Amino acid sequence: MTVSIIVGTQWGDEGKGKITDYLTQDMDMVVRYQGGNNAGHTVVIKDKIFKLHLIPSGIFYNNVLCVIGNGVVVDPAVLIQEIETLKSQGFSVSNLRISAQAHVIFPYHRYLDQAQEKKREAGRIGTTSRGIGPCYVDKYNRRGIRIADLYNEKVFREKLDWNIKEKSFLLDKFYAFDKKIDIDKIYVDYLGYALAIKQYVALESTALINEAIEKKKNILLEGAQGAMLDVDHGTFPFVTSSNPIAGGACTGAGVGPTAIDEVIGVVKAYVTRVGSGPFPTEIEGKLGDELREKGGEYGATTGRPRRCGWFDAVVMKHAARINGLTQLAITKLDVLDGLDKIELCVAYEYKGKQITDFPTDIHRLAECKPIYEEHAGWSEDTTKIKEYNDLPENAKKYLARLSELAGVKISLISVGAERGQIIEV
Ligand code: IMP
């Protein structure tokens, strides 16, 4: 029996969907613990591409209970669409559970997200416009509406009234936002959504998860986004509004830290970022464009082109520490096939000094220059390799250095999008 957490170690989009899908073969339960439909997990099964935003990718396996935990923010219209799409593709969703404690995203959250971004102008975060931040604000302001509230019509109407009064005032008077909020429509729509998802709602999701732990089941707690988008430990304010790091699994699923056995960090062999904010190892120009095309680096949620950069061991070390990583799963190694030289950032230069502790203040970070170590590339195609020993020597050297700098062993290496393109180390 193992309780494992899977986390992104960079700015999201490390390929967690693929690794989660692989690990799920041995799982009884998969729990998503934070974020919302800002995330996009891509899974490729027999040349078919599946994109999930809310439902854990464990749903592709029979007998795996997939839980949307209390720490997730749920847009029910998106969730219902995802359920319907899966059903139409022949997958059963009867193993889906949604925590009644999860907070609900309303249209006014999306409007606020858009209005705030517009008003920020130059300081724009580049959010996904899905209403994630404003929904978490309501949660922490204790005004949010949870899934459970949708089944108590009186409580729901009262909370909705209050929220809509407040948001209408803000949108109208402060943001001069052009869309109006129609409370009656939202009320009726959301009662309909509540009915549609009722069969999946877990009234006591933490009891469900903890009972599985007590029964010594294999459980995977799945984070969205990545460590550098963590609201506390990332490149604030260019972050998401939750805690993707491993600690977020404890609050977002209701699991005590002593129950956790493994923390698996998903690491892309290079680095990408969508949205604004500092990115020390960003590669601009032709090479950056080539990596983007070869790696298919376009957002799974918004389709935005991702910024591409060299592997950053300063970020990696920070991620290893704040997550307590016990293993690394390397993804997209094959995207580096055919490069003559590969740069690996081993430290930053800050005010004439060499530093390896990640500066979490973006103003200090902006003054940092990456210090690179040059590695020889490899010309071989790695996409069909099944054994670690068959990897090109230079690829092995690159991976060994990466693992050494992280201080964490590598357990998996992904060399393509398909399920079978994975090497166990
Ligand atoms: P939000 O989560 O929509 O508020 O966006 C905040 C920041 O996080 C923006 O820079 C987004 O591009 C980024 N972000 C949110 N979700 C993801 C993700 O799943 N992958 C990569 N970046 C993300």
Side-chain angles (χ1 to χ4, degrees), residues 163-316:
N163 272 292
I164 288 186
K165 274 196 195 110
E166 183 201 35
K167 271 66 173 184
S168 296
F169 180 82
L170 267 177
L171 284 165
D172 207 30
K173 303 280 186 265
F174 186 69
Y175 292 109
F177 194 69
D178 52 3
K179 285 198 194 100
K180 295 277 169 266
I181 308 174
D182 180 345
I183 181 163
D184 292 324
K185 180 169 182 340
I186 293 181
Y187 183 65
V188 172
D189 283 353
Y190 276 67
L191 286 181
Y193 299 151
L195 204 62
I197 60 171
K198 195 167 182 202
Q199 59 181 305
Y200 307 109
V201 173
L203 291 180
E204 310 303 343
S205 60
T206 53
L208 182 76
I209 298 164
N210 282 285
E211 269 164 26
I213 296 174
E214 285 151 21
K215 285 185 185 151
K216 310 229 174 296
K217 303 278 186 191
N218 286 328
I219 299 164
L220 185 65
L221 306 172
E222 176 189 1
Q225 290 89 41
M228 302 312 291
L229 289 173
D230 187 280
V231 68
D232 285 276
H233 300 285
T235 45
F236 187 89
F238 299 98
V239 291
T240 193
S241 299
S242 62
N243 290 111
I245 62 164
C250 295
T251 52
V255 172
T258 47
I260 312 298
D261 301 295
E262 295 284 341
V263 183
I264 303 150
V266 185
V267 181
K268 193 157 16 185
Y270 50 99
V271 182
T272 59
R273 159 161 220 179
V274 263
S276 329
F279 182 3
T281 62
E282 183 163 13
I283 312 169
E284 313 224 29
K286 194 165 159 273
L287 185 58
D289 295 343
E290 276 170 19
L291 266 184
R292 183 177 311 112
E293 290 314 312
K294 196 162 173 212
E297 298 294 356
Y298 292 88
T301 299
T302 58
R304 290 181 290 176
R306 296 176 184 147
R307 299 154 67 193
C308 296
W310 295 117
F311 184 81
D312 185 334
V314 183
V315 164
M316 181 71 250

Side-chain angles (χ1 to χ4, degrees), residues 7 15 110 136 143 150 161 224 303 313 383 420:
V7 291
R110 284 196 304 275
Y136 276 115
R143 289 290 181 193
L150 302 177
D161 268 343
T383 58

Side-chain angles (χ1 to χ4, degrees), residues 19-69:
I19 304 296
T20 302
D21 178 64
Y22 179 79
L23 297 172
T24 302
Q25 298 172 80
D26 302 321
M27 296 295 153
D28 300 298
M29 180 185 271
V30 179
V31 186
R32 167 86 182 269
Y33 61 79
Q34 47 71 233
N37 59 313
N38 46 351
H41 289 169
T42 308
V43 180
V44 181
I45 308 170
K46 294 197 179 92
D47 291 338
K48 269 191 158 178
I49 298 174
F50 300 93
K51 286 197 171 143
L52 293 172
H53 300 283
L54 275 168
I55 300 180
S57 41
I59 205 75
F60 297 116
Y61 291 87
N62 294 326
N63 309 321
V64 176
L65 209 57
C66 291
V67 184
I68 296 179

